[in-house]
Amino acid sequence: MNTNDMISKIKEVVGLSEEIKLEQQTLDNGAILEAESFEAGQEIFIVTEDEKVAVPVGEYQMEDGRILVVAEEGLIAEIKAEEEEEVEAKEEDKEEMGYATKEELAEVKEMIEEIKAMLEPKEEMTEELSADDLGNLMTEELAKHEKLELSEVPEEVQEELNQPAAEPIKANPEVQTKQNFKFANNRKQSTLDRVLNKIINN
């Protein structure tokens, strides 16, 4: 006796012989879905041979082309028409494949020219100076920055920085005591006893 038969017998005994008619729809993969009505907020189940199973969360393509969206297990979130999704996808593709307009290209060219104009005076200065002069200028600039950085640090802090961070750590190994084991203390030692004594005590 399967569960449906048991439910129908219980309904007969209690007096609930009125059956609620459920709609059935088929997915494009052949699975049969059952719900009171295929609208948002309704419970929906997958019909199998023995029982009904709540539909897992996801989007499902129906045979008639609509898309069933289940946001919470066993509840319909919405049913979309397939055409809407195709139109949205085409619009997105058009937006992604848009080309730059003449105005945008003109703006980019102006920005490039501004950058070139900013770089030209620096190039002229470097051409006028020899390599030795450039090296001297760079060392002077570096020296100025180092003096500024050193002058900003107070003397007390400078003294603390010059002292070692902590006293060095001295190793304190554990004292190891050697234990001597002897095999066959109360009897005459055999060759095996002597070998074992040498292995353990060395």
Side-chain angles (χ1 to χ4, degrees), residues 148-172:
L148 288 174
E149 290 174 4
L150 291 175
S151 64
E152 293 174 2
V153 178
E155 290 180 23
E156 296 171 357
V157 175
Q158 190 68 29
E159 288 175 13
E160 284 184 31
L161 290 174
N162 291 337
Q163 293 176 356
E167 294 180 16
I169 299 172
K170 295 179 183 176
N172 189 11

Side-chain angles (χ1 to χ4, degrees), residues 9-199:
K9 284 189 178 185
I10 291 171
K11 285 182 181 179
E12 287 176 14
V13 171
V14 176
L16 298 173
S17 59
E18 294 179 23
E19 286 191 24
I20 300 172
K21 294 195 175 187
L22 301 175
E23 292 181 33
Q24 289 190 345
Q25 295 271 342
T26 309
L27 294 179
D28 62 349
N29 64 2
I32 300 171
L33 300 179
E34 189 173 74
E36 196 171 313
S37 64
F38 283 85
E39 298 172 353
Q42 295 292 326
E43 291 184 347
I44 187 165
F45 302 97
I46 298 173
V47 178
T48 62
E49 294 175 7
D50 301 336
E51 58 188 0
K52 296 178 184 176
V53 180
V55 177
V57 176
E59 291 188 1
Y60 302 95
Q61 182 77 32
M62 300 184 76
E63 257 186 359
D64 59 1
R66 295 183 297 169
I67 296 175
L68 173 72
V69 180
V70 178
E72 186 178 327
E73 188 172 317
L75 287 176
I76 300 173
E78 65 177 310
I79 297 179
K80 297 186 222 174
E82 183 181 26
E83 297 171 5
E84 293 176 8
E85 203 162 287
E86 287 179 6
V87 171
E88 289 175 9
K90 287 179 183 177
E91 288 175 4
E92 287 177 7
D93 289 342
K94 287 179 184 177
E95 289 175 7
E96 289 176 6
M97 298 195 53
Y99 295 102
T101 61
K102 290 182 181 180
E103 296 166 353
E104 292 172 342
L105 289 174
E107 288 177 14
V108 172
K109 284 182 182 178
E110 287 176 17
M111 291 172 58
I112 292 171
E113 289 174 8
E114 288 177 12
I115 293 171
K116 284 182 181 178
M118 293 169 71
L119 294 175
E120 285 177 6
K122 291 181 181 176
E123 290 175 0
E124 290 173 4
M125 285 179 58
T126 55
E127 289 173 4
E128 293 173 4
L129 298 173
S130 66
D132 292 334
D133 294 336
L134 279 174
N136 291 338
L137 282 173
M138 290 179 70
T139 53
E140 288 174 10
E141 289 294 321
L142 287 172
K144 286 179 186 177
H145 286 291
E146 287 177 5
K147 287 178 184 176
L148 288 174
E149 290 174 4
L150 291 175
S151 64
E152 293 174 2
V153 178
E155 290 180 23
E156 296 171 357
V157 175
Q158 190 68 29
E159 288 175 13
E160 284 184 31
L161 290 174
N162 291 337
Q163 293 176 356
E167 294 180 16
I169 299 172
K170 295 179 183 176
N172 189 11
E174 295 180 15
V175 178
Q176 295 180 353
T177 58
K178 189 172 183 180
Q179 297 179 352
N180 288 328
F181 292 102
K182 290 188 176 182
F183 284 92
N185 282 340
N186 298 331
R187 63 182 168 87
K188 186 177 178 184
Q189 288 188 345
S190 66
T191 309
L192 178 63
D193 293 333
R194 281 183 257 136
V195 170
L196 290 174
N197 277 331
K198 288 202 177 214
I199 291 173

